[in-house]
Each structure stands twice: as structure tokens, then as C-alpha cells.
Amino acid sequence: MESKLLTKDNLDDVVHQYIKYYNECENGCWTYEKAHIRIHQVMTIEDSECRVLYDNNNLVGFYMGYYKQFDDLKAYFLEEIVIFSEYQNKGYGTAFLLELEKIVRNNGAQHIELISVKDEHHEHFYNKLGYYCANNLTMMGKHFS
Ligand SMILES: CC(C)(COP(=O)(O)OP(=O)(O)OC[C@H]1O[C@@H](n2cnc3c(N)ncnc32)[C@H](O)[C@@H]1OP(=O)(O)O)[C@@H](O)C(=O)NCCC(=O)NCCS
């Protein structure tokens, strides 16, 4: 198992796997253009930290996010982590998130934040690694119909 930086050289492979995963497994409607924009946006944001996971040269998953400066600390915002379907529930996600923690800590981050899907699976995955639900914040949105 090894990870490499997400760059323009492996971006296309990640985009194709991303579309395949979400459209086939999660009822998504991603097109190549939309998925490319989504991942490229985060990859090119200032202070981004995005890596791709391989096992025996097979693309297993990726994460993307970026560092955020606050008055009292530097944090890392994990925009998305995905382990592709055939590799899920084999410990890759846990190992990859632990590697991510090591990298961002070495780069000065003292905190990781993320927005998670609210279900038993994600709660289990994040809780066992020490992530908690922030009870002083709530996610808000407004949808234009
Ligand atoms: C969330 C995700 C990254 C986890 O990666 P993974 O490689 O499958 O994770 P691991 O194998 O390391 O751990 C999965 C854990 O969830 C558990 N799990 C799996 N399905 C579950 C379910 N329905 N309910 C509760 N726990 C569940 C597994 O048993 C395992 O726990 P364990 O280590 O205590 O046995 C992966 O499922 C994924 O990419 N999902 C789609 C994209 C996504 O939702 N990303 C996160 C955005 S917030």
C-alpha cells in the first residue's frame, strides 16, 4: 500500500473511478466534466493536501482537503475521502485516514474537521478513530428551487 500526491498526472484516473463509484454504487449522476471540476477545484485550492492510495498499482481510493488558518490554530478540512467499492471494509480507509493525520500533523495542523454523512456506518468509522460530532455548530443551507 502506498500513497502519492494527487496531481494532474493521476487526476484523470481518480475522476474516472469517482464517477464509476458514485454512479454505480450511490445512485449519483456525475458526468466527467462535473467530477473533474469538483476534484480539480479542491486539488488546486491554496494549501491543499490531496493524496491517492494504491495497492499493487491498483487505485484504491483518494482523499482531498486543505489547510485552514484560524486565529488560534491551523486546521485541515477533509473535503472528501473515498475508498472505491471493491476495497471497502478491508481496513484501507482506516489506514489512509491515519496516514493523513500523520501528514497534516507534521505540516502543523492541530485539528481535522469534516462533514460526514449521518448514518451508522460513517459514525462507526469516524468514532473509532476519535472523531466526534461538534455540538456547538450545526450545518445550515438554503436551496433555491
Ligand atoms: C467511509 C469509507 C471511507 C470507509 O473506508 P473503508 O476502507 O471501508 O473503512 P475500513 O475498512 O477501514 O473501516 C470500515 C468500518 O466500518 C464498519 N462498517 C461497514 N459498514 C457498516 C455499517 N453499515 N454500519 C456500521 N459499521 C459499518 C466496518 O465493520 C469497519 O469497522 P471495523 O474496523 O470496526 O470492523 C468508505 O466506506 C467510503 O469511501 N465510502 C464512500 C464515500 C464516503 O462516504 N466517504 C466519506 C464521506 S464523509
Side-chain angles (χ1 to χ4, degrees):
M1 207 176 89
E2 61 156 345
S3 74
K4 293 182 189 163
L5 279 176
L6 174 64
T7 64
K8 59 180 176 34
D9 295 331
N10 53 16
L11 174 62
D12 222 42
D13 294 340
V14 172
V15 169
H16 282 294
Q17 290 304 314
Y18 187 87
I19 297 167
K20 185 171 183 285
Y21 174 69
Y22 278 107
N23 289 1
E24 287 178 11
C25 303
E26 304 226 9
N27 212 18
C29 56
W30 288 99
T31 60
Y32 178 85
E33 195 197 1
K34 286 178 185 171
H36 188 277
I37 290 172
R38 163 139 180 82
I39 299 169
H40 188 263
Q41 273 177 341
V42 183
M43 185 184 109
T44 54
I45 208 167
E46 189 175 354
D47 290 331
S48 71
E49 175 80 62
C50 312
R51 298 190 77 86
V52 186
L53 185 65
Y54 298 88
D55 202 353
N56 286 323
N57 289 325
N58 296 311
L59 208 170
V60 167
F62 81 109
Y63 67 70
M64 57 182 184
Y66 48 91
Y67 296 96
K68 288 169 70 170
Q69 187 62 55
F70 292 100
D71 57 342
D72 54 347
L73 57 79
K74 178 174 164 179
Y76 174 81
F77 185 78
L78 178 58
E79 175 74 28
E80 188 158 1
I81 179 169
V82 182
I83 298 295
F84 299 119
S85 57
E86 58 270 48
Y87 300 103
Q88 287 181 6
N89 292 316
K90 294 180 176 155
Y92 286 108
T94 301
F96 204 22
L97 197 48
L98 288 172
E99 184 195 279
L100 155 70
E101 288 182 9
K102 210 165 148 190
I103 291 170
V104 303
R105 278 180 84 147
N106 281 341
N107 286 327
Q110 294 163 279
H111 183 77
I112 294 181
E113 49 187 31
L114 59 96
I115 298 168
S116 170
V117 176
K118 197 179 176 74
D119 65 16
E120 207 185 314
H121 177 194
H122 290 82
E123 254 171 50
H124 177 89
F125 176 69
Y126 288 117
N127 286 348
K128 82 172 176 171
L129 287 164
Y131 292 75
Y132 56 86
C133 289
N135 51 20
N136 60 334
L137 296 169
T138 189
M139 175 110 178
M140 294 184 80
K142 179 175 177 176
H143 193 69
F144 301 115
S145 51

